[in-house]
Amino acid sequence: MADPDIPQDNDNPGRIPHSEGMLRENIIGMGKFSMRKNYYPAFKRRLDELERYKSLMDKAHDGIFIVELGNLHFIEANSATCAYLGHHKTELLDMKLDEVLAGAWGSELDEWIKHEDSTSQYFTFTLNHILPDSTSRYLEISLSFIDGKQDSCVFGLVRDISELVRINNELKEAHHIQTAIFDNSFQFMGLLDTLGRLIVVNMTALDAAGCKEAEVLNKYFWDTPWFDGLPDEQKRLRESFDRCLAGGLARYEMPNIVDGGQRVDVDFSMKPVFDEGGRVIYLIVEGRDITELKKMENQLIHSQKVDSLGRLAGGVAHDFKNLLGSIVGAVDLLLLDKSLNPEQVELLGIIQGASTSASELTSKLLGFARKEKVMSSPIDLHAVIEDAVLLLSRSIDKLYSLKMNLASTRSTIIGDPTQLENAIINLGLNARDSMPSGGEILISTSECHFDSVFCHQSEFSLSPGDYIELCFRDSGVGMPSDILQNIFEPFFTTKANGKGTGLGLATVYSTVVSHKGAVEVHSEIDKGTCFYLYFPLEEDYGSISIDFQSSSHNATVAGGLVLLVDDEPLMRSTSAMMLESMGYSVVCAENGAEAIEVYNQGQDTIDAVILDMIMPKLSGEDTMKEILRINPAAKIIISSGFDENADQRTETLSKAVGFLHKPYGMHELRLAVEKAIC
Amino acid sequence: MADKTKRELRKFLAPEFVFGEGARFQIGNYAANLGATRVLLVTDPGIVEAGWVDDVTLSLSERGIESVIFSAVTPNPKDHEVMEGLLLYNQNYCDSVVAIGGGSPIDCAKGIAILANNSGEIKDYYGVDTISEPCPPMICVPTTSGSSADVSQFAIINDTKERVKKAIISKAIVPDISLIDPEVATSMPHYLTACTGIDALTHAIEAYVSNGSSPITDGYALSAMSRISKNILLAIGKPLDIGFREEMSLACLEAGLAFSNASLGAVHAMAHSLGGYLDLPHGECNALLLEHVVNYNFMAEPERYRKVAEALGCGLENGEIGAVQNELFAKISELRQSAGIEGALAVRGVGLNDLGRLAQSAELDPCLLTNPRPAKASDLRRILEQAM
């Protein structure tokens, strides 16, 4: 047969042109394609196509399925669907969608699937699908309607998003951690873009300014509330910004405005963040409120200053007291001489008076420096206040009204009533001086509690617990802050030269410290000043008053053997002479070892021991321990200019029967020895 | 023919068909076997009114097959009617096509079937053998004994833009099954019986003298001619006599098998031209042209025309050939007029100034390719003038 594609009409000579010849061939059924069309090639193509689709479906990582619209029976499902839902295909084709997904089948989905004309043609949801083998995985299922040849169907896609969920959770967790750090840092933190606009800011910074994130985000950093009304700082920030944008750093102290318009000191820094190419993409700004830190630093400097001054004063005072002791003792002895004329007696009286004044001044020096001996016994602070107020009211003018409101229900503290009384009197005199034309002084007490955080932050060494607050308020001229900062400094005074020692409030301070308490002061110009003193409250034992005045003043002639131990030869001889003049026999020892030896030999005859605490080699305390070992009932009187361990009274020291405070005179010596020997 | 040393290759293609009274009731069974679930049923309002459609849909529904009826088909089916039917087919997810009617619904159904599986518009498939994909299953129930579209590879669609009937000739549009039921022909009126009968006669004669004829088609063609000449007037006279209707149906089937394989000639080429231009009934056009074309072709195949004359019962078995030509011309003319097809083209609205254009269109019609005597437009115009 002639190929119709090749021009060839040799068989039809001349009758019909060749193209018509081909057409004729076709009409009579002899053309290349002139045959009845067969479905088989098309079916085969279609089958191949179906095979391809089937493998596409089965190779797909996502699940693909079709369910009947009405009864939700599975019609088709690929391998991934079977794996994700946890059923074999044959099993699945016997099941219904709402049955397989029973756990996640909510009313919203039910509603949607029952309305083919639902407003949304798609419905997507996620679920944590529990497989029949009890494992679970997160699935995302999308459903949509498709129009089939016969009935409409629901077409579904299942995607395993377990990994996505896991990553998402990790990201969330990481974000939480970062946010926790970021927002809870003490630092103010923020991030600026390269135009200087604030794009991220932490809660600490926002809380400080008392503003919302939206109020500051995307604002130029220097226009934010932290720098309101600080044009110099705004200018400095712009300069720092330019420097950091060029890769530099900035760190300096600056004032910030915080909530309420208050100024705080901030340790500020700005630092560029670079991308991989070394270009600046962000700038980190940080700040830390160092107001408290600075305050504490100042207080630390103050207390160190006081401490060193105290050591200096204490060291001098110790020797000075010994010297004064000798002078007082020698004068007392001279006065016993009846042959002195009245002029000589008068001169000796002047020496005695000056020595006493010198001794008091020394005591004050020691007092603020905490070198002074502190009696530590339970006392009623209210009683002390009442005593002090009584004294004050006698010594100040009627222009001043003194009022008390001792409202605290508890008032027992451990302390030294003399020092406390002294402190109150000091405050009273201070108040008087601040009210030249008279006014009101109010002393009140109340209870309060300090927790551990407060104690930790305090400049004073406080222990958590209940405290009594002693408030001392005047209606005077008040003090400006620069003076307030210095009032507890030793030798700081605003009074005219010679009118004040500058030790009054310094002593108050050291008294408070030695009582493990705290002091605060608030002052307003022309309104007055208020001192708050805090002392740790003790359980109420009932106050024990020590009566220093109970002993007889009569200079009766006594008898007995006294062992006098002192390393100072002058002190030793003066005291020995005073004791002998009282009728006592005296045996001396110049150090601890000698004292022990003497006591060991004469323990049956020695009635009392006067023992100096501060001695080279063997200390007073060790000596005392040894003597008590020889004779537990030994009567030992401690003598000292100061005692570093005064407020840490040891078991040994507490066994002393008396205490002589150097410099002591005849009177004190007599009382102490009489008391010991009786 | 015996002296021919070389014979051209010939092919014969026919659909499966069921012939006989009540054949239409087989449709449910055949449709089910072809896998149909919802059919597009293409018909025209006359057939619906005659009740044949109900018979068919009932049979289909008994096998659970739904029917979507498309009955907006007019004579000389238009290209846009094909598109309307296609839309209905797609909208209803039909999977097969059923045609009940004469040539028009069947040709329209073929157009729809082509486009159901092939893209584009119907004009893309005009011409010969242009269809690449098989069409969906197609079942025909012919109601006229004339067109033979139910067994042929032809579909003629009226291109309304060019006002020309275009032939689609392809083995792809030979239906799968034809259910030829003489009973449905009883609803045809006299004149339609006449026109379709003469159409069938034209098919037989043109196929027989076609240069694509073969011994197989020759037998069917001669048998059809003989059967028509004997029965056409009886069928017209006794429309409800099932015997004559059966004969005419059989003749039509034979003619269809012949021309579907041997193709046609100048009568159809000009009839398509006329039908497209003036929307004249196809059978009527054939009837008015047949005797003149026979006259024009006669001397190209004189011995074949002698056989035609014999089949039509002209006598003169061994007569002189010129006498046979005259006798044949007279016989065909007489048969036409006895059947009631009077007058000529002029009285049917054809003007002399239309003839040039009609001839030109006819010259391009593929049916002319198998005409035994080549004809140019001028020859065709002369024939048309004779038919005025």
Side-chain angles (χ1 to χ4, degrees):
Chain A
M1 181 190 135
D3 188 334
D5 291 341
I6 301 168
Q8 192 179 7
D9 53 3
N10 297 342
D11 290 345
N12 302 302
R15 279 188 69 190
I16 305 163
H18 85 259
S19 62
E20 288 184 359
M22 284 199 302
L23 207 52
R24 180 180 163 274
E25 292 276 302
N26 286 341
I27 294 170
I28 64 168
M30 296 312 300
K32 192 175 181 181
F33 305 106
S34 315
M35 59 178 290
R36 183 151 185 188
K37 295 292 175 283
N38 195 311
Y39 276 106
Y40 186 68
F43 271 135
K44 199 165 174 303
R45 279 201 305 277
R46 203 60 202 264
L47 283 171
D48 289 347
E49 199 175 75
L50 283 173
E51 281 303 312
R52 281 201 303 278
Y53 284 133
K54 190 173 174 298
S55 56
L56 268 183
M57 270 185 66
D58 277 344
K59 292 285 187 301
H61 194 62
D62 288 345
I64 302 166
F65 63 84
I66 300 173
V67 296
E68 268 181 70
L69 184 62
N71 56 28
L72 302 177
H73 267 300
F74 277 91
I75 299 171
E76 193 54 75
N78 70 344
S79 314
T81 302
C82 300
Y84 293 158
L85 298 180
H87 294 282
H88 287 296
K89 187 166 177 179
T90 47
E91 232 171 78
L92 206 57
L93 295 184
D94 277 340
M95 297 177 84
K96 292 158 57 170
L97 184 62
D98 51 351
E99 184 185 335
V100 177
L101 301 179
W105 201 263
S107 58
E108 200 187 344
L109 176 55
D110 206 50
E111 188 71 11
W112 178 82
I113 213 158
K114 281 180 181 159
H115 293 85
E116 202 189 337
D117 53 346
S118 291
T119 46
S120 164
Q121 278 293 299
Y122 299 92
F123 193 93
T124 302
F125 57 101
T126 57
L127 71 152
N128 187 9
H129 183 64
I130 312 291
L131 279 72
D133 65 1
S134 297
T135 58
S136 74
R137 53 173 96 209
Y138 285 96
L139 300 178
E140 180 188 80
I141 297 184
S142 292
L143 301 175
S144 59
F145 296 115
I146 49 171
D147 294 326
K149 202 161 189 176
Q150 296 292 332
D151 298 302
S152 293
C153 302
V154 177
F155 174 79
L157 277 174
V158 195
R159 179 166 295 181
D160 183 358
I161 55 166
S162 304
E163 186 64 6
L164 275 177
V165 167
R166 190 186 64 75
I167 292 169
N168 195 34
N169 285 342
E170 274 179 18
L171 282 176
K172 267 190 201 162
E173 176 71 18
H175 180 71
H176 280 151
I177 291 171
Q178 282 179 5
T179 308
I181 295 169
F182 186 63
D183 278 336
N184 293 297
S185 166
F186 272 118
Q187 304 267 105
F188 306 152
M189 284 193 261
L191 206 58
L192 309 185
D193 65 11
T194 51
L195 294 174
R197 292 176 306 202
L198 187 63
I199 53 172
V200 180
V201 62
N202 75 346
M203 285 310 296
T204 314
L206 291 172
D207 288 347
C211 60
K212 297 261 190 312
E213 197 176 39
E215 298 167 35
V216 294
L217 278 197
N218 295 317
K219 275 192 176 177
Y220 289 106
F221 187 47
W222 39 84
D223 290 339
T224 53
W226 295 283
F227 314 106
D228 268 355
L230 300 171
D232 290 347
E233 291 308 328
Q234 290 172 336
K235 185 164 169 283
R236 188 147 69 130
L237 268 180
R238 280 165 175 273
E239 289 163 5
S240 305
F241 174 73
D242 289 339
R243 192 159 70 251
C244 291
L245 209 54
L249 299 170
R251 182 162 185 178
Y252 51 83
E253 232 180 87
M254 74 186 313
N256 263 194
I257 301 302
V258 294
D259 200 12
Q262 196 191 330
R263 267 172 78 123
V264 293
D265 291 312
V266 168
D267 171 16
F268 172 78
S269 64
M270 191 189 287
K271 188 183 155 196
V273 177
F274 301 96
D275 68 3
E276 286 157 1
R279 286 183 323 148
V280 176
I281 45 171
Y282 303 116
L283 294 109
I284 290 181
V285 287
E286 286 174 275
R288 183 187 273 261
D289 183 349
I290 52 165
T291 315
E292 278 302 309
L293 198 70
K294 281 190 79 176
K295 201 169 119 190
M296 281 166 69
E297 198 176 73
N298 287 338
Q299 283 162 348
L300 185 69
I301 291 168
H302 170 247
S303 57
Q304 281 173 343
K305 205 157 42 174
V306 168
D307 204 42
S308 52
L309 259 169
R311 277 176 192 281
L312 183 68
V316 173
H318 174 249
D319 290 337
F320 196 61
K321 276 201 163 188
N322 278 339
L323 297 173
L324 283 173
S326 310
I327 295 167
V328 171
V331 169
D332 279 356
L333 286 173
L334 279 175
L335 283 171
L336 290 175
D337 186 349
K338 304 297 179 204
S339 64
L340 295 175
N341 62 37
E343 279 173 7
Q344 287 170 319
V345 170
E346 196 185 333
L347 286 173
L348 283 173
I350 290 168
I351 294 170
Q352 203 172 33
S355 300
T356 307
S357 292
S359 179
E360 277 168 11
L361 182 60
T362 313
S363 293
K364 277 185 181 172
L365 262 176
L366 281 171
F368 91 80
R370 291 184 287 146
K371 304 304 180 199
E372 196 175 24
K373 162 90 194 87
V374 176
M375 294 296 290
S376 294
S377 49
I379 51 164
D380 180 0
L381 184 65
H382 283 171
V384 175
I385 293 168
E386 278 158 5
D387 286 348
V389 167
L390 190 66
L391 262 170
L392 264 178
S393 60
R394 282 182 199 145
S395 60
I396 59 175
D397 207 283
K398 296 289 178 208
L399 283 170
Y400 304 95
S401 83
L402 267 165
K403 288 183 180 166
M404 276 189 294
N405 176 24
L406 308 183
S408 176
T409 51
R410 293 162 62 195
S411 56
T412 305
I413 63 170
I414 298 288
D416 185 328
T418 316
Q419 281 194 19
L420 291 168
E421 194 180 275
N422 199 25
I424 294 162
I425 287 167
N426 268 322
L427 288 171
L429 297 175
N430 198 62
R432 181 197 61 190
D433 295 342
S434 74
M435 301 184 288
S437 47
E440 186 181 277
I441 296 168
L442 175 66
I443 302 164
S444 58
T445 62
S446 59
E447 268 177 79
C448 61
H449 184 86
F450 294 158
D451 61 19
S452 56
V453 177
F454 179 88
C455 295
H456 182 74
Q457 286 173 351
S458 170
E459 62 179 289
F460 298 96
S461 24
L462 301 175
S463 306
D466 293 335
Y467 282 74
I468 184 166
E469 178 191 88
L470 165 57
C471 171
F472 203 101
R473 186 190 301 275
D474 68 49
S475 57
V477 292
M479 287 173 278
S481 60
D482 56 331
I483 288 177
L484 264 185
Q485 281 172 14
N486 294 312
I487 54 169
F488 294 119
E489 298 271 335
F491 309 116
F492 176 86
T493 179
T494 56
K495 294 171 188 165
N497 221 354
K499 279 210 163 176
T501 58
L503 284 174
L505 290 177
T507 309
V508 170
Y509 186 93
S510 73
T511 299
V512 166
V513 169
S514 67
H515 283 78
K516 300 176 183 173
V519 59
E520 248 183 84
V521 60
H522 293 281
S523 186
E524 272 185 81
I525 299 294
D526 294 334
K527 293 217 170 148
T529 304
C530 188
F531 287 87
Y532 297 92
L533 278 58
Y534 300 92
F535 301 102
L537 275 168
E538 271 300 301
E539 287 308 314
D540 227 329
Y541 299 117
S543 113
I544 300 160
S545 79
I546 298 168
D547 189 356
F548 292 98
Q549 314 296 321
S550 62
S551 300
S552 160
H553 284 257
N554 297 340
T556 49
V557 175
L561 178 61
V562 175
L563 169 59
L564 180 65
V565 189
D566 203 303
D567 57 327
E568 283 287 325
L570 198 58
M571 192 70 214
R572 206 163 56 234
S573 56
T574 314
S575 297
M577 281 193 272
M578 283 196 282
L579 283 169
E580 280 162 358
S581 74
M582 289 173 210
Y584 294 104
S585 307
V586 178
V587 55
C588 289
E590 61 182 60
N591 57 49
E594 192 185 331
I596 292 164
E597 199 188 324
V598 171
Y599 191 82
N600 200 20
Q601 288 166 5
Q603 55 175 295
D604 297 336
T605 51
I606 294 170
D607 296 307
V609 182
I610 296 173
L611 181 61
D612 184 19
M613 278 290 108
I614 310 298
M615 291 184 297
K617 297 180 187 166
L618 206 58
S619 75
E621 187 177 343
D622 291 338
T623 309
M624 181 171 170
K625 209 182 280 177
E626 195 55 33
I627 292 170
L628 286 172
R629 202 182 56 74
I630 297 162
N631 175 18
K635 304 239 163 77
I636 301 168
I637 299 160
I638 293 166
S639 100
S640 176
F642 61 81
D643 185 353
E644 285 216 317
N645 298 321
D647 44 15
Q648 296 168 12
R649 216 161 250 247
T650 62
E651 198 189 333
T652 312
L653 293 178
S654 65
K655 288 181 179 157
V657 295
F659 184 86
L660 273 169
H661 198 184
K662 286 185 184 174
Y664 48 82
M666 288 278 277
H667 176 62
E668 291 87 350
L669 186 60
R670 187 199 304 277
L671 284 178
V673 178
E674 274 178 2
K675 192 179 168 207
I677 293 179
C678 287
Chain B
M1 301 293 274
D3 59 341
K4 265 202 170 182
T5 52
K6 189 180 176 191
R7 176 174 276 165
E8 276 191 300
L9 293 172
R10 286 289 183 268
K11 173 153 76 181
F12 187 86
L13 178 79
E16 214 176 322
F17 59 79
V18 177
F19 186 91
E21 211 181 319
R24 65 185 184 279
F25 295 112
Q26 297 287 314
I27 193 162
N29 189 34
Y30 280 99
N33 281 333
L34 286 169
T37 59
R38 188 180 291 157
V39 303
L40 182 73
L41 199 155
V42 186
T43 185
D44 67 40
I47 307 297
V48 176
E49 201 179 319
W52 308 126
V53 172
D54 289 344
D55 288 349
V56 166
T57 55
L58 182 69
S59 173
L60 289 168
S61 66
E62 278 170 1
R63 297 302 300 266
I65 299 164
E66 292 174 56
S67 305
V68 176
I69 294 172
F70 176 54
S71 62
V73 183
T74 57
N76 296 319
K78 318 292 185 289
D79 42 13
H80 59 80
E81 290 165 5
V82 172
M83 297 313 284
E84 287 163 32
L86 177 67
L87 189 66
L88 207 58
Y89 180 93
N90 286 333
Q91 281 176 342
N92 290 283
Y93 300 105
C94 295
D95 52 18
S96 44
V97 179
V98 167
I100 313 173
S104 297
I106 295 176
D107 281 356
C108 186
K110 286 179 174 181
I112 294 166
I114 292 166
L115 293 181
N117 271 10
N118 291 273
S119 59
E121 299 171 51
I122 195 63
K123 69 177 166 60
D124 301 332
Y125 301 96
Y126 294 153
V128 182
D129 214 11
T130 54
I131 302 160
S132 61
E133 295 299 313
C135 302
M138 186 169 168
I139 302 174
C140 295
V141 179
T143 58
T144 62
S145 307
S147 78
S148 291
D150 57 303
V151 293
S152 81
Q153 58 163 333
F154 287 70
I156 312 296
I157 303 296
N158 195 347
D159 186 322
T160 49
K161 213 168 174 184
E162 290 187 33
R163 286 178 69 187
V164 176
K165 286 175 83 169
K166 297 279 190 176
I168 298 170
I169 305 166
S170 173
K171 301 296 180 196
I173 52 173
V174 176
D176 293 273
I177 311 255
S178 183
L179 302 172
I180 305 161
D181 190 340
E183 204 179 341
V184 300
T186 57
S187 64
M188 275 198 292
H190 292 158
Y191 193 68
L192 186 57
T193 308
C195 286
T196 55
I198 297 295
D199 186 23
L201 179 63
T202 309
H203 291 154
I205 293 172
E206 290 216 286
Y208 185 70
V209 300
S210 159
N211 61 37
S213 66
S214 71
I216 302 292
T217 60
D218 288 351
Y220 285 121
L222 288 172
S223 173
M225 289 177 223
S226 168
R227 221 181 282 277
I228 292 164
S229 72
K230 286 176 192 151
N231 292 286
I232 183 167
L233 299 179
L234 296 170
I236 294 168
K238 292 187 174 178
L240 297 176
D241 185 320
I242 195 72
F244 300 133
R245 290 293 191 191
E246 198 171 282
E247 283 297 303
M248 285 305 290
S249 291
L250 193 53
C252 174
L253 170 62
E254 290 171 325
L257 294 173
F259 90 80
S260 181
N261 290 286
S263 194
L264 296 160
V267 180
H268 273 82
M270 286 185 285
H272 291 157
S273 177
L274 271 169
Y277 191 58
L278 294 167
D279 207 14
L280 292 173
H282 174 67
E284 194 175 48
C285 292
N286 282 346
L288 298 174
L289 292 166
L290 179 61
E291 60 214 59
H292 303 291
V293 172
V294 166
N295 221 13
Y296 173 80
N297 283 345
F298 193 89
M299 287 318 289
E301 290 283 357
E303 289 309 314
R304 289 212 149 233
Y305 277 111
R306 186 192 291 276
K307 290 274 204 276
V308 172
E310 279 173 18
L312 294 179
C314 286
L316 296 167
E317 275 86 2
N318 298 306
E320 189 261 325
I321 201 70
V324 173
Q325 184 176 0
N326 289 336
E327 186 64 20
L328 181 59
F329 183 84
K331 177 71 185 177
I332 295 169
S333 185
E334 182 217 315
L335 201 56
R336 168 174 65 80
Q337 289 177 54
S338 305
I341 307 170
E342 309 273 353
L345 291 178
V347 300
R348 286 171 170 85
V350 181
L352 276 175
N353 48 359
D354 294 329
L355 298 183
R357 183 198 160 107
L358 288 168
Q360 274 174 2
S361 311
E363 194 189 15
L364 299 172
D365 193 285
C367 289
L368 201 58
L369 291 167
T370 44
N371 194 55
R373 182 182 170 188
K376 299 208 178 314
S378 54
D379 301 323
L380 297 173
R381 185 193 162 102
R382 218 166 300 123
I383 296 169
L384 285 167
E385 279 168 5
Q386 289 162 2
M388 289 293 282

